Amino acid sequence: MRRVPVIVLAAALALGLAGCAGAGASATPHSTDAADACPQASAPLSSLDLVDDVRATTGGSTACLSSHAIEPVGDDTAPELPVTVTDSEGRAVEITDVDRILPIDISGTIASTVFALGLGDQVVGRDSSTVFTGTEDLPVVTKTGHTLNAEAILELAPTVVLTDTTIGPKEIRQQLRDAGIAIVVISSDRRLDTTDELVTEIATALGVPTRGQALIERLDADLEASLAEIAEVVPTDGDDRARMLFLYVRGNANIYYIFGADSGADSLIDAVGGVDVAAEIGWEGMKPMTAEALVAAQPDVLVMMTDGLESVDGIDGLLARIPALAETPAGAHRRVIDMADSEILSFGPRSADVIDAIARALYAPTASSEPSA
């Protein structure tokens, strides 16, 4: 199946951030565990108060993680260096030192993977989307949303930068190469089914392949367990499954996008047993929303980023700004699931936790709560 480059997502996010006074740029790391905010997060999904009809549920709910911490693997094998890798742009890159790692992308996924590999102590900076526990004191090297700041990066003197094409500009990456820094461009394809490849790329570049394999085994087991738990509550009749649509919004910039097939959002909807109505109407990738598409899709549930929903003043504002929503079940029922921008599409070490959180917001919305700050 054709993959839509995540650079399209980066462009959409960049536009939104520019029109939202740098939303996300001022995000601060979660320094506390979220257990108090999500008191039932560790309980089996089937044991919660499940809705009788997932297509007729009313009101909004926030999907939140049970913890904002990244658990490192138990393998502490020392990095084997030097190592030469061919990055996603076809460049041969030699890495000789991983004492000062700078992982940067639009979703914070690369950083969370480095921390999960047990190399968090070597990370010297962060992007504005890296806001999980343990990153509180790291300097931010992005400005105006997700634009790289060359001066800030050079001041940190990283020995290796792990990045992808969701963040730029590319001229900054070249400037860093010219300064003698090893720059490894990781694949930008972010989906549930590409997590293993992502871990392998990063672990190989950092000289810790056995840690990478250990992490893959753990993540695969976690994902399998989450999918099995969700499968127990998914309606057996396809007609009873929630018709879901991922809507990306930045109200201050008047940006409204539908994320369809191969956008990454579709894999989240599939994982929780929903029907991806964007794919159903032939919507591919990320494209500007139209009223006609909304009405044709007839979603029961909208899935959104929390900052996006807040940018239109919540569900009331969303309905006022998009009158066509009134012609859909989601609009009639005011049914919106939101999740933190830095988490909802952060495929990687938290993939299983993300789909579990969305499933709880879908099937047991009273068990969902606002994530802790």
Side-chain angles (χ1 to χ4, degrees):
M1 182 179 291
R2 183 178 65 86
R3 302 297 189 207
V4 177
V6 177
I7 190 62
V8 180
L9 171 59
L13 289 172
L15 283 171
L17 290 168
C20 235
S26 60
T28 54
H30 296 291
S31 59
T32 59
D33 194 275
D36 292 338
C38 302
Q40 302 185 71
S42 60
L45 180 58
S46 59
S47 72
L48 301 178
D49 185 14
L50 304 178
V51 296
D52 294 327
D53 184 351
V54 75
R55 298 192 62 185
T57 305
T58 61
S61 52
T62 296
C64 57
L65 302 180
S66 60
S67 172
H68 295 297
I70 302 295
E71 180 184 354
V73 293
D75 187 333
D76 60 357
T77 304
E80 298 179 6
L81 300 169
V83 62
T84 299
V85 299
T86 300
D87 72 7
S88 68
E89 294 187 328
R91 290 185 177 85
V93 183
E94 183 181 33
I95 300 94
T96 61
D97 187 344
V98 295
D99 285 343
R100 300 183 63 79
I101 306 169
L102 181 58
I104 40 178
D105 66 356
I106 204 166
S107 63
T109 304
I110 295 178
S112 65
T113 303
V114 172
F115 272 71
L117 289 169
L119 295 172
D121 288 343
Q122 281 98 292
V123 173
V124 295
R126 66 180 176 95
D127 52 66
S128 56
S129 291
T130 295
V131 294
F132 51 84
T133 303
T135 62
E136 296 86 355
D137 298 326
L138 292 175
V140 178
V141 297
T142 52
K143 59 182 180 180
T144 60
H146 294 278
T147 302
L148 296 177
N149 184 327
E151 292 182 0
I153 293 174
L154 291 171
E155 286 178 2
L156 295 177
T159 54
V160 57
V161 172
L162 303 175
T163 188
D164 63 22
T165 55
T166 66
I167 197 166
K170 63 181 180 180
E171 290 79 11
I172 297 296
R173 295 198 295 270
Q174 187 56 51
Q175 181 180 345
L176 299 175
R177 290 189 187 97
D178 294 341
I181 301 171
I183 308 294
V184 182
V185 180
I186 303 298
S187 171
S188 300
D189 196 2
R190 298 285 183 272
R191 298 174 57 85
L192 288 177
D193 59 6
T194 61
T195 298
D196 290 358
E197 289 84 351
L198 172 73
V199 172
T200 297
E201 285 185 64
I202 295 173
T204 301
L206 297 178
V208 289
T210 62
R211 295 196 195 192
Q213 186 55 43
L215 180 57
I216 287 172
E217 291 174 0
R218 190 184 81 190
L219 298 184
D220 286 352
D222 289 347
L223 184 58
E224 183 178 355
S226 290
L227 292 174
E229 183 180 36
I230 293 168
E232 293 180 2
V233 303
V234 174
T236 55
D237 188 333
D239 290 339
D240 294 332
R241 297 187 180 188
R243 296 173 56 78
M244 303 174 71
L245 180 73
F246 194 105
L247 186 62
Y248 175 82
V249 170
R250 283 297 182 263
N252 292 350
N254 200 31
I255 291 175
Y256 302 88
Y257 271 63
I258 290 175
F259 283 16
D262 293 330
S263 65
D266 55 327
S267 65
L268 292 181
I269 293 173
D270 291 342
V272 299
V275 177
D276 180 20
V277 294
E280 193 175 70
I281 63 172
W283 203 273
E284 295 187 352
M286 308 91 164
K287 296 189 296 185
M289 178 207 76
T290 66
E292 293 78 10
L294 272 181
V295 175
Q298 286 294 295
D300 300 315
V301 183
L302 297 179
V303 182
M304 300 180 63
M305 296 180 178
T306 300
D307 285 350
L309 185 58
E310 292 178 351
S311 77
V312 292
D313 300 320
I315 296 176
D316 285 338
L318 183 69
L319 294 173
R321 291 183 184 227
I322 310 177
L325 278 176
E327 300 180 49
T328 71
H333 295 151
R334 301 170 54 83
R335 187 70 179 111
V336 179
I337 292 174
D338 70 281
M339 189 171 190
D341 299 38
S342 62
E343 296 169 350
I344 192 167
L345 292 178
S346 60
F347 301 109
R350 295 182 289 183
S351 290
D353 294 331
V354 168
I355 64 169
D356 183 65
I358 294 176
R360 288 168 185 275
L362 177 64
Y363 297 108
T366 57
S368 301
S369 177
E370 293 286 348
S372 59

